[in-house]
Structures are given as structure tokens and as C-alpha cells.
Amino acid sequence: MDSPPDYHVDLTPFRVERDGRCWWCGAIADSQEHKYKRTDLARLQGDGPNLVWGGDEERLHYIKSIRKSSAVRFEKDLCRRCNDTRSQPFDRAYETYSAYVWENAEILWDAPGLDMRAIFGADWRQKQLDLGRYFAKHFASRMVLDGLPVPAGLLDFLNGKRVAKNVRFCFALDEALWLLRKHGDPQGAPIQGLWLRPTMAWVSSDGKHLRGYETATYLGHVGVLFSWFPEKKRLDSFFPHVRPVLNVVKATDEMMEIIEGLKARKG
């Protein structure tokens, strides 16, 4: 029996050289995908002048442009056709989903699942697949940013397959982000944000094979978790379920200490 995969963060042995080509179709990569959708950034910004971004170096920066800032976009890894024309249905499905999540953020914490009919209406099956492909495109760009090749199953799904081989997409509620929304602002206003969870990866015990890759993206406390396990051919995703489960990601002890401190500051 194989030994269990080891948690590993150094992806250097598995990185491939970038060739300036679109990872989707192979044309010249001359377009940048947004890490955070521009409509979400505009919703957060509201009438205020600035958005604040925090990166891995634990310093905060003001975002000068929600359209062009390097903080909100990936590097050029797609061609314009793939990033615009081919993925338009995916973007439209995501915008419908995003509007629903923002509008229903409070009640979703206690919801057992996301009702696809409530979000998309009678055509929910196709639009749910389009939403899945929006996230497939996003997470493919995340993998490219990490220097990894895009898995064949992810590409097949983007190109029309109804099943994403070796990958899983599932909805999640993050307890720490929910508690930050409730208790993080001393003035009582809810804290809202867009979050990209750091990458996690696993390798075989001999260090020669990449055995798994996971990450996530969140609108407030509601997110999508992405997993790729090349040795698992079929993993269950939120499509084609009419009411996919909202899995709860528990807050760590460290996060709970931070939140308790924020609650104490509010009295």
C-alpha cells in the first residue's frame, strides 16, 4: 500500500517554464485574467476612494485601479479570445452567482446548501456548469501562477466536458471570515472582503510526484474550494446538484484568538 502523501509547499521541482502562450488554446498570451472580478471590486469599493490589499508579505497596499492594478490581475497567461469571447457565458453565470451571494450573505451562514434554482432559474443546469467553468478558468490561472501545468481534466471541462476529471469544486463557508464579518469592525459595520486562500500541495513520499493541489477563493465568507488529485479519476463537485452542500471550514485556534481580541476591543 502507498504511504499517505506528505504536505509540501515547495513546488520548485514540479514547475514548468512559461512559454508566453495561452494555457487554454496555445495562442500568444496577451491578456490578463482578474484574480478578483471587477464587479466584486467595484461593489466593495462603493463610493470610497480606495480598496486595501494584503499580500504574502503581510503589508497592506491601496489598490489604485480595480481595472489595471497588478494586485487584482494574474500575469499575461491567456489570449484575448479565450479571456473574453470564449469565457463570456462563464463570466455572466459568475456575476449572477456573485450578486446572489452578496445579497444573501447573512442568511447563507445558516443555510445547508446553495439553491441553484433560486440563483439561476429554470436554466440552472447549464448556468451551473458555466459557473463551474468560471472557477475552472480561475483556478487554472492560479496553477499557472504557481508554475504548474494546467491538468488535462480541467482543460477538457473548459472545452465542454460535463465532468472535470481528477478535480473537485465545492462550496464552502469559512467560519473565521464569518466571525470577522460579525466582530471585526469596532464601529459595528460588517467587514467584507475578497480572499484567495494560499496554495496547499502534496507530494509522494519519495518527493518525485505531485499528488495533490488545493486552494480556494471567497466572496466574504462564502467560497469555492478547488482540489486536484491526479490519482483520483472521479471527484464529486457542486455540479450537477440542484442544492449543493455548503461545507463549513472551521476557524483555527489562532484565528479564534484574533477574533476574541477584536470582540474584546468592541466591549
Side-chain angles (χ1 to χ4, degrees), residues 76-241:
K76 288 182 179 179
D77 61 2
L78 287 161
C79 68
R80 293 186 185 278
R81 175 175 171 268
C82 287
N83 201 22
D84 298 330
T85 306
R86 290 185 76 184
S87 56
Q88 272 188 359
F90 314 160
D91 292 336
R92 287 195 293 268
Y94 174 82
E95 288 170 6
T96 301
Y97 158 82
S98 172
Y100 179 89
V101 168
W102 285 119
E103 184 176 345
N104 295 279
E106 289 288 339
I107 63 173
L108 285 177
W109 175 252
D110 293 314
L114 274 176
D115 187 338
M116 295 291 106
R117 286 195 182 96
I119 298 172
F120 293 122
D123 194 23
W124 67 269
R125 289 180 178 83
Q126 180 58 50
K127 291 179 179 177
Q128 183 189 50
L129 282 171
D130 289 340
L131 178 65
R133 291 181 179 119
Y134 171 87
F135 286 112
K137 180 185 169 190
H138 170 86
F139 290 121
S141 285
R142 292 284 303 273
M143 296 188 78
V144 169
L145 186 66
D146 280 333
L148 301 177
V150 177
L154 212 53
L155 288 171
D156 289 343
F157 180 57
L158 280 165
N159 289 328
K161 292 279 189 181
R162 301 182 73 85
V163 174
K165 184 180 177 181
N166 307 120
V167 300
R168 175 194 292 129
F169 304 87
C170 60
F171 292 118
L173 299 170
D174 190 285
E175 182 183 31
L177 297 178
W178 165 249
L179 293 172
L180 278 176
R181 175 185 172 89
K182 291 180 65 177
H183 305 296
D185 189 335
Q187 307 304 319
I191 286 184
Q192 300 186 89
L194 307 171
W195 318 86
L196 299 183
R197 196 183 80 182
T199 294
M200 293 191 297
W202 291 262
V203 296
S204 57
S205 297
D206 61 10
K208 295 181 179 179
H209 305 285
L210 187 60
R211 304 267 304 266
Y213 176 100
E214 286 189 344
T215 188
T217 181
Y218 283 89
L219 292 173
H221 55 282
V222 183
V224 170
L225 306 180
F226 168 75
S227 306
W228 170 68
F229 292 102
E231 298 168 1
K232 298 181 179 180
K233 299 196 179 300
R234 182 69 182 264
L235 296 165
D236 192 33
S237 291
F238 66 75
F239 45 86
H241 305 293

Side-chain angles (χ1 to χ4, degrees), residues 234-258:
R234 182 69 182 264
L235 296 165
D236 192 33
S237 291
F238 66 75
F239 45 86
H241 305 293
V242 66
R243 192 184 289 271
V245 171
L246 281 163
N247 302 273
V248 176
V249 178
K250 299 294 290 182
T252 63
D253 291 341
E254 291 81 3
M255 281 302 304
M256 289 303 299
E257 289 181 12
I258 291 171

Side-chain angles (χ1 to χ4, degrees), residues 3 21 32 47 54 56 68 150 188 202 214 230 243 263:
S3 57
R21 299 280 177 178
Q32 293 176 277
D47 296 327
D56 294 337
K68 297 182 178 180
V150 177
W202 291 262
E214 286 189 344
R243 192 184 289 271
K263 290 166 67 175

